[in-house]
Amino acid sequence: MTQPPSPIQPARPSLPSAESWLEGVPTPAQQRQDRYAVAAFVTSLPGLVPVALVLAVIALRRIKRTGARGKGLAYGALAITLCWVIATSVAVGLNLYGERKAGIGRTVGIAEVRVEQCFDADLEAETLRLVRIQDCAISHTGEAYAKVRANLAGLSAEETQTVATQQCATAFKTFIGKPYEQSELDMYYVVLEDRAVADGNVLCLVGMPGTRLTGSMRGSQR
């Protein structure tokens, strides 16, 4: 006796593996911002270029491996550090150009020093011929503060000293803010020519032998 055919069982659809359900769904690690990327961006803002650069490179490598977020922050940090590098380079270039234009670092004859220029020299030397132009913001030995007019033609050495000292002393009070007689600073002069000319023929200098000055002495009341 034949058996009745078994009822056809519907085929059960195969379920995908557990991993396949997660395809396209970010893992918790991928949802987080990479901490190195965040740190790189934060340190790039105040211009900590070496630190930001290292952190950004590490962040990009980590993001590539883990798939975490933060690539934009890392690239932003690199862009900001590049801007800092460019800005610093431009500033240094302009500063060097300004120093070269101002003659800083050059050795010149004392008569070539311009008013408001500072210089290094041995102020105790019996004869001062050469000086080295220096930035007034950096320690220096002297500063040219004025050119005055004085008719010195035909005067003796003693008379020349008296007239030049009087003229420079007047300019000294205006520049320093204190009469020369009450000042701790010393005053010097260089006769550029005997006859008085419009832009001055006597160069007036200020300094203090044995002591280095910092900053201009204008209005220092010293």
Side-chain angles (χ1 to χ4, degrees):
M1 184 175 179
T2 59
Q3 295 292 329
S6 299
I8 299 174
Q9 298 294 326
R12 296 182 62 188
S14 60
L15 293 175
S17 63
E19 288 78 7
S20 68
W21 284 110
L22 298 176
E23 289 180 2
V25 179
T27 64
Q30 293 172 327
Q31 291 177 335
R32 293 194 299 266
Q33 293 276 10
D34 185 88
R35 63 179 182 272
Y36 282 88
V38 175
F41 186 79
V42 171
T43 54
S44 70
L45 295 177
L48 303 177
V49 173
V51 177
L53 183 61
V54 171
L55 291 175
V57 172
I58 294 175
L60 290 173
R61 290 179 177 176
R62 284 167 51 89
I63 291 169
K64 184 177 181 180
R65 185 179 69 253
T66 64
R69 298 167 58 200
K71 185 180 290 185
L73 289 176
Y75 280 121
L78 290 176
I80 293 173
T81 56
L82 178 61
C83 290
W84 274 110
V85 170
I86 293 174
T88 302
S89 300
V90 170
V92 170
L94 290 176
N95 185 58
L96 291 176
Y97 173 76
E99 288 188 354
R100 186 162 56 250
K101 188 175 180 180
I104 293 175
R106 289 195 307 121
T107 299
V108 300
I110 184 64
E112 298 178 58
V113 179
R114 299 194 303 269
V115 174
E116 297 186 354
Q117 278 189 326
C118 296
F119 58 88
D120 275 332
D122 182 7
L123 297 180
E124 295 179 299
E126 184 176 346
T127 302
L128 182 59
R129 300 186 184 277
L130 298 176
V131 300
R132 183 176 182 272
I133 303 300
Q134 183 61 279
D135 185 348
C136 289
I138 300 174
S139 66
H140 53 275
T141 56
E143 178 180 3
Y145 67 88
K147 269 187 179 181
V148 296
R149 288 183 290 178
N151 188 5
L152 307 176
L155 299 183
S156 66
E158 184 177 348
E159 291 171 332
T160 295
Q161 181 178 10
T162 299
V163 173
T165 298
Q166 290 174 345
Q167 296 290 72
C168 283
T170 300
F172 185 96
K173 182 178 180 180
T174 301
F175 183 79
I176 301 296
K178 176 184 286 189
Y180 175 54
E181 297 80 4
Q182 302 173 13
S183 175
E184 63 179 330
L185 300 171
D186 285 341
M187 183 177 66
Y188 308 85
Y189 67 88
V190 178
V191 176
L192 304 177
E193 55 181 299
D194 288 341
R195 67 184 186 89
V197 294
D199 62 343
N201 61 314
V202 177
L203 178 65
C204 304
L205 313 167
V206 63
M208 184 184 293
T211 302
R212 298 188 66 82
L213 309 175
T214 301
S216 173
M217 293 296 100
R218 179 184 293 277
S220 65
Q221 298 285 333
R222 293 183 63 178

